[in-house]
Amino acid sequence: MKPLEKAQFISNWIREYTDMMPNKAQSLVMGISGGIDSSVSSTLCAMTGIKTIVLSLPIKQKSSQHDLSLKHQDWLFKNFKNVEVHTLSLDKLFEAFKNTMSKFDSELGLANSRARLRMTTLYQVATANKGIVVGTGNKVEDFGVGFYTKYGDGGVDISPIADCNKTDVWEMGKELNILKEIIEAAPTDGLWDDGRTDEGQLGLKYEELEEAMNNVNSINREKYEKIRNTNLHKMHPIPVCKIPN
């Protein structure tokens, strides 16, 4: 399937999903980071014609990342009449949380808490607009190596690009005329003050991850499996204690 056909297929799937819901969703709500995944996903939502609420949720964000988020907001708003955009700064909320948790300091914990605060915000907006929260996770990150925050950016109602490799997302982005700056930007989760990149954290390029996913004989297969196994607890159902009869 060609990139543009794939984009239209996914957009149609989103619309059909909302039509089949017992209580039909009246809006699609998602956060954007200025990265390719959220930029493509928000565009696919906008293409449905359903009210699409796009939120930029900066928390101590590097200006370069936040600027791309705002630029994509403007691009969406200009190109789709059904798009509503908001920028909600969560700096004060995060600082209050951080200060409250001063006895339980953890750099990783606070990074993940940024994602969880954003998730909580998205669901508040979705509930207020009778909507659903749309995820931005792709096949490699979220469903290959589990590179996401449990109950953070992993806390969504639907995941439209979950069957798309990162290279698929980039190709769709080009066909959808996503801003060149976003397509060329180094992917980052935006959860760290030092602005570290995704590939820097993973230790592999996305092309290498994709190749390792699909080839058991890949020289990077062991590295891929190590990352995946560490994160399997995110991808598996919550363990439940079964009481015998």
Side-chain angles (χ1 to χ4, degrees):
M1 192 179 291
K2 294 179 180 179
L4 203 54
E5 293 174 331
K6 189 176 292 184
Q8 192 60 63
F9 180 88
I10 296 171
S11 183
N12 291 341
W13 177 87
I14 297 170
R15 187 170 58 248
E16 289 166 4
Y17 178 86
T18 61
D19 288 341
M20 290 188 297
M21 292 176 66
N23 295 312
K24 184 177 177 181
Q26 294 180 21
S27 66
L28 304 168
V29 178
M30 64 182 313
I32 60 170
S33 62
I36 188 65
D37 293 329
S38 63
S39 296
V40 167
S41 298
S42 56
T43 304
L44 298 176
C45 287
M47 287 165 58
T48 65
I50 301 168
K51 180 180 179 181
T52 299
I53 303 174
V54 178
L55 304 173
S56 181
L57 304 171
I59 302 177
K60 304 293 182 183
Q61 218 68 34
K62 287 201 166 292
S63 59
S64 57
Q65 296 169 7
H66 187 46
D67 287 348
L68 287 179
S69 175
L70 296 179
K71 286 180 180 180
H72 182 65
Q73 272 189 348
D74 290 342
W75 181 86
L76 278 175
F77 191 71
K78 289 174 182 175
N79 284 280
F80 297 94
K81 293 181 180 180
N82 57 311
V83 168
E84 181 180 309
V85 299
H86 299 276
T87 299
L88 304 176
S89 175
L90 302 181
D91 282 353
K92 291 182 179 179
L93 184 62
F94 177 70
E95 282 301 322
F97 176 81
K98 185 178 178 180
N99 290 335
T100 301
M101 303 301 293
S102 59
K103 291 183 180 179
F104 305 96
D105 187 43
S106 162
E107 185 184 25
L108 176 60
L110 288 172
N112 285 326
S113 291
R114 295 187 190 201
R116 291 172 181 139
L117 288 173
R118 288 176 178 139
M119 178 274 293
T120 302
T121 305
L122 292 172
Y123 272 97
Q124 179 67 28
V125 174
T127 303
N129 286 275
K130 295 182 172 59
I132 57 174
V133 175
V134 181
T136 65
N138 63 60
K139 189 174 185 177
V140 181
E141 290 168 81
D142 286 38
F143 300 92
V145 292
F147 187 64
Y148 63 91
T149 297
K150 195 174 186 179
Y151 308 122
D153 48 325
V156 299
D157 293 312
I158 61 171
S159 201
I161 63 169
D163 199 32
C164 300
N165 287 325
K166 191 78 170 186
T167 50
D168 295 329
V169 181
W170 271 313
E171 288 172 0
M172 283 193 289
K174 292 174 185 175
E175 292 295 325
L176 294 170
N177 295 317
I178 299 298
L179 297 175
K180 187 178 179 182
E181 295 169 82
I182 291 175
I183 292 172
E184 295 179 348
T188 176
D189 56 20
L191 300 181
W192 305 90
D193 291 335
D194 57 14
R196 64 191 69 175
T197 65
D198 293 350
E199 291 179 345
Q201 294 182 69
L202 291 165
L204 288 172
K205 295 180 179 180
Y206 279 108
E207 292 84 354
E208 293 172 327
L209 279 172
E210 289 181 23
E211 193 270 338
M213 280 177 62
N214 299 315
N215 179 10
V216 293
N217 297 315
S218 168
I219 59 172
N220 292 309
R221 183 72 182 193
E222 187 177 347
K223 226 182 234 188
Y224 161 77
E225 288 183 345
K226 183 178 180 180
I227 301 169
R228 176 178 170 81
N229 290 336
T230 301
N231 293 320
L232 274 177
H233 67 96
K234 304 177 191 178
M235 296 179 269
H236 286 170
I238 300 171
V240 174
C241 176
K242 295 288 187 179
I243 309 298
N245 292 330

